[in-house]
């Protein structure tokens, strides 16, 4: 009886011998390098890409609605280094600290003016107020005693200067603000108006205004609003941001106080933000998802993991099934063999892609269903090769000897047959992976992918959905189409290369004559 | 067992297989969501006369219990009566006869070209194993084999149709036919082939690698045999040795593969036809699956499987012709 230690060292030396042979094959080395590279990306990639691959939103607290990560159909940011790069604009968040958590920052960045000035108006940063976790907000208070004359309009303007460094206008402007009014007196029907403006030098551009804000809308609860301007050429983005330079963001709150009664108002402002969405984003731009355009680089990186999962799981289980069926049917023969092989024949004569599509449609296009269907469709060829090998193995003298010394069927299969077919298992494992990856990509491309999973096939499907491939080709959006396609091809090829090299080593018939 | 008994046995297998496929079709398409007549009727309400509906019901036996419906279905399949498409409201036969030629030409051309060129190249690279040509061709084959077919299609369209403007997209007849119809049969055929050139090339690129690799692999298994050495020693020219001695002995797996491609013949065009938006069988099947158009799906799966079963049967017989050592049985 061999000791455990001997066994281990035997395994190691055998593996070393194998590796020495494998090393000789350039293709095999290339294959395994690519696989390892993808493996690293699959393991650490998703944790170092900061965005969500499916429904990304900008970080930070926005009670109205979380803003999108970027505009649709952005080009890669590094386009700015290419000729024509002056037409590139990136995302710009005008208010860095839109939650007003820091008093110093507020006082440094914002300035305030109000008119008429004779009333009791204070604008200050409140540390404890605020809409989210009471993390700070802007507090504006307005007091007028009943004997003072009503000013009809009190205008309070908060301004913030910022630099717009890009030579091209943004694609769209997104705005957000939250407001809460603490009112201790009676108010007219529409006591407030708000305006958001942008200013460059002496030029003033109105961006958005709210006129009919009733006191009920904001009394005793926070009122959130969000807005987005976007649109065809000639829209305000183009008119305002004609050149790089210093701009001013201006928020105006107008209190309409035309009545004689006493007024005592405190207005809290929070989450005041403006985001200028540029036409460039990330390493590979963004796709055209309607509300949540996604960073294509993030999708690409996440797709690695998905492809690995699909490829490896499918290969493993289909080979496992194929091996079991092949062993049983080859060794047992008779009726079992007939039934199993007829079933395999039956599976083989059905057209595979249509059947895949039908099964996925019936089960529903979730990633696990797709894997299950791929496994179900992937074992037949391998089981036939195993069976034919077992048919010849079981007639060999060593099996007879094992039988004579009283080994039962399971023992003989495990100890004498299985080790002899294992070379085939390794090769088939490697070559089954690309089939699964390609099938998943095809299914996804046809629209049967899991929409909650960022796979490479889904990236290509989304491009297919834009209908531009037939009209304008992929030239304009090469950064969307080429990377996932190349990634699929590379990963599939890496596994095929590995399988190919394994085959050359493990298959005695293919060995070179030395 | 003699040849006759063998053929008899194979025919029995064939019948069992056909029966299995037909039953499978029945089960799976009855399981699919949204295929019951009730749903279908809700869809076409008002679009169909009551008589027509009655006819359909009778044809498919929707008013009968499941087992009777099954018998009816088997009878329909055996008598080549596929019924009417739910969506197009034409008979399945009409739909298929209209589209099948396009797909057959597309798939046929690319399959046959890939097969011939692939096998020839495979023989050559097996002969020159280890040479630069071998390495290059195997690497190219391995990579074309791993590229998604729709992706190749996109690249081809972008470059040849849109960039260079050499080929039309999404048409099966040239645009100039509208004003200038083909004068004779040659122009007719030429025009159609011209339009199918890009999709056929795409399929060819996708398919040829597999044939090269397969031929190379089976050739290598035989090329080291002693009889090859003998043939060489006899002074036979290389070509004779390769094609008469090695390829002939190695061709059994190739025949099997050729038989299996018949299954790919109709269904394999789904993706290519979608990329190039050609209205052939692939698109028909794809749309039928999307709209759960059961009669079309049943007919397609049945015919497709039938083709493979028949091709396998023929292949089994051919084995004996190629390799007289094979004893049927």
């Amino acid at each position: 009886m061999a000791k455990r230690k001997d066994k281990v060292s035997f395994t190691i030396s055998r593996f070393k011998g194998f590796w020495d042979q494998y090393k000789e094959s350039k293709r095999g080395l290339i294959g395994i390098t690519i696989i390892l590279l993808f493996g690293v990306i699959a393991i650490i990639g998703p944790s170092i890409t900061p965005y969500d691959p499916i429904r990304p939103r900008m970080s930070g607290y926005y009670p109205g609605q979380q803003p999108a990560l970027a505009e649709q159909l952005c080009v890669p940011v590094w386009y700015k280094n290419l000729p024509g790069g002056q037409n590139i604009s990136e995302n710009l968040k005008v208010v860095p600290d839109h939650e007003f958590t820091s008093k110093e920052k507020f006082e440094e960045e914002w300035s305030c003016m109000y008119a008429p000035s004779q009333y009791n108006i204070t604008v200050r940063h409140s540390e404890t107020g605020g809409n989210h976790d009471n993390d700070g907000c802007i507090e504006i208070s307005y007091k007028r005693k009943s004997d003072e004359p009503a000013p009809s309009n009190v205008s309070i303007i908060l301004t913030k200067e910022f630099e717009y460094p890009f030579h091209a206008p943004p694609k769209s402007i997104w705005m957000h603000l939250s407001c809460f009014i603490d009112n201790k007196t009676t108010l007219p029907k529409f006591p407030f108006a708000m305006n958001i403006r942008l200013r460059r030098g002496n030029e003033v551009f109105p961006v958005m205004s709210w006129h009919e804000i009733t006191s009920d809308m904001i009394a005793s609860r926070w009122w959130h609003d969000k807005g987005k301007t976007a649109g065809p050429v000639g829209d305000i983005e183009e008119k305002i941001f004609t050149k790089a330079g210093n701009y001013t963001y201006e928020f105006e709150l107008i209190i309409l106080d035309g009545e004689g009664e006493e007024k005592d108002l405190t207005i809290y402002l929070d989450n005041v933000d403006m985001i200028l969405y540029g036409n460039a984003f990330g390493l590979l731009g963004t796709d055209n998802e309607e509300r949540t355009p996604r960073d294509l680089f993030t999708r690409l990186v996440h797709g690695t993991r998905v492809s690995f999962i699909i490829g490896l799981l499918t290969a493993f289980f289909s080979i496992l099934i194929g091996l079991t069926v092949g062993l049983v049917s080859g060794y047992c023969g008779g009726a079992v063999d007939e039934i199993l092989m007829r079933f395999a024949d039956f599976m083989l004569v059905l057209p595979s892609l249509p059947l895949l599509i039908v099964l996925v449609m019936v089960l529903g296009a979730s990633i696990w269903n797709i894997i299950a269907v791929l496994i179900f469709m992937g074992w037949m060829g391998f089981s036939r090769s195993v069976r034919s090998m077992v048919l010849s193995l079981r007639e060999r003298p060593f099996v007879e000897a094992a039988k004579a010394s009283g080994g039962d069927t399971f023992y003989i299969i495990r100890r004498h047959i299985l080790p002899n077919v294992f070379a085939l298992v390794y090769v088939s494992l490697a070559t089954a992976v690309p089939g699964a990856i390609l099938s998943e990509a095809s299914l996804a491309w046809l629209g049967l992918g899991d929409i909650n999973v960022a796979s490479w096939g889904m990236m290509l499907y989304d491009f297919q959905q834009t209908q531009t491939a037939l009209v304008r080709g992929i030239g304009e959006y090469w950064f969307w189409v080429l990377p996932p396609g190349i990634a699929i091809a590379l990963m599939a090829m890496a596994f095929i290369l590995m399988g190919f090299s394994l085959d050359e080593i493990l298959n005695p018939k293919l060995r070179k004559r030395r | 067992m003699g040849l006759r008994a063998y053929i008899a046995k194979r025919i029995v297998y064939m019948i069992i297989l056909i029966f299995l496929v037909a039953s499978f079709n029945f089960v799976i398409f009855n399981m699919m969501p949204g295929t019951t007549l009730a749903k279908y009727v809700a869809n076409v309400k008002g679009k169909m006369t009551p008589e027509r509906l009655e006819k359909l019901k009778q044809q498919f036996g929707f008013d009968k219990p499941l087992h009777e419906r099954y018998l009816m279905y088997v009878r329909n399949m055996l008598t080549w009566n596929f019924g009417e498409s739910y969506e197009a409201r034409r008979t399945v036969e009409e739909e298929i006869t209209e589209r099948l030629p396009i797909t057959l030409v597309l798939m046929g051309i690319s399959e046959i070209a890939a097969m011939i060129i692939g096998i020839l190249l495979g023989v050559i690279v097996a002969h020159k194993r280890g040479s630069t040509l071998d390495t290059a061709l195997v690497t190219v084959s391995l990579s074309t084999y791993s590229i998604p077919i729709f992706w190749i299609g996109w690249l081809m369209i972008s470059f040849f149709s849109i960039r260079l403007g050499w080929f039309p997209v999404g048409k099966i007849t040239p645009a100039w036919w509208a004003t200038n119809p083909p004068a004779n049969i040659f122009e007719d055929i030429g025009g159609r082939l011209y339009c199918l050139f890009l999709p056929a090339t795409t399929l060819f690129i996708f398919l040829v690698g597999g044939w090269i690799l397969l031929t190379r692999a089976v050739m290598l298994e035989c090329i080291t045999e002693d009889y090859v050495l003998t043939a060489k020693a006899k002074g036979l020219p290389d070509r004779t040795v390769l094609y008469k001695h090695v390829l002939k002995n190695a061709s059994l797996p190739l025949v099997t593969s050729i038989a299996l491609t018949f299954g790919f013949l109709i269904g394999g065009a789904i993706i290519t036809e979608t990329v190039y938006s050609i209205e052939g069988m692939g698109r028909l099947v794809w749309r039928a699956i999307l709209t759960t158009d059961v009669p079309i799906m049943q007919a397609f799966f049945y015919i497709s499987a039938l083709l493979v079963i028949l091709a396998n049967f023929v292949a089994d017989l051919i084995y004996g012709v190629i390799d007289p050592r094979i004893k049927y049985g």
Side-chain angles (χ1 to χ4, degrees), chain A residues 27 338 342-343 345-359 361-362 376 384 434 438 441-443 445-448 457 460-461 463-464 468-475 481-486 488-490 492-494 496-497 500 503-504 507 509-513, chain B residues 9-10 13 17 20-21 24-25 28-29 31-33 129-130 134-136 138-139 142-143 145-148 150-151 154-155 157-158 162 169-170 213 216-217 220-221 223-226 229 256 260 263 267 270-271 274-277 285-286 289-290 292 297 300-301 304-305 308-309 312:
Chain A
R27 281 199 205 102
E338 274 301 311
R342 274 335 109 204
F343 184 62
D345 281 350
F346 158 70
M347 295 286 297
L348 277 171
V349 298
L350 290 171
S352 58
L353 182 64
L355 184 58
L356 257 180
I357 297 170
V358 168
L359 288 178
M361 286 264 308
V362 170
F376 177 65
R384 284 180 128 193
L438 285 173
S442 303
L443 279 178
W445 183 81
L446 283 169
L448 289 170
L460 294 169
Y461 167 69
F463 180 72
Q464 153 89 346
T468 47
L470 281 181
V471 187
R472 280 184 288 164
I474 60 168
V481 181
L482 292 191
I486 292 172
I488 291 172
L490 260 184
M493 196 169 73
I496 293 181
L497 286 174
F500 203 75
D503 200 26
E504 298 218 310
N507 188 345
K509 280 190 178 160
L510 291 180
R511 274 191 202 138
K512 281 183 197 169
R513 279 188 176 168
Chain B
K9 192 179 161 197
R10 294 299 309 182
Y13 277 159
L17 261 183
L20 269 177
V21 169
F24 171 80
N25 274 352
I28 187 108
F29 296 130
M31 264 168 55
M32 271 184 92
R129 183 174 186 202
D134 178 32
T135 320
V138 168
T139 312
L142 287 176
S143 41
Y145 196 63
S146 350
I147 304 175
F150 52 86
W151 199 71
W154 275 346
L155 294 193
I157 292 171
S158 298
I162 290 159
V169 177
L213 293 174
R216 182 180 179 275
L220 286 180
E221 292 207 7
I223 217 160
T224 49
E225 298 279 343
D226 291 335
L229 206 59
T256 313
L260 284 177
I270 292 182
I271 291 178
T274 308
V275 175
Y276 287 95
S277 67
V285 173
W286 171 232
I289 297 175
L290 282 186
T292 53
M297 282 191 279
F300 163 74
F301 273 80
S304 208
V308 183
I309 294 171
N312 273 333

Side-chain angles (χ1 to χ4, degrees), chain B residues 79-93:
Chain B
T79 54
W80 221 246
N81 177 9
F82 300 120
E84 242 173 73
S85 153
Y86 285 177
E87 288 298 314
R89 279 176 286 141
R90 307 164 60 188
T91 63
V92 175
E93 242 177 287

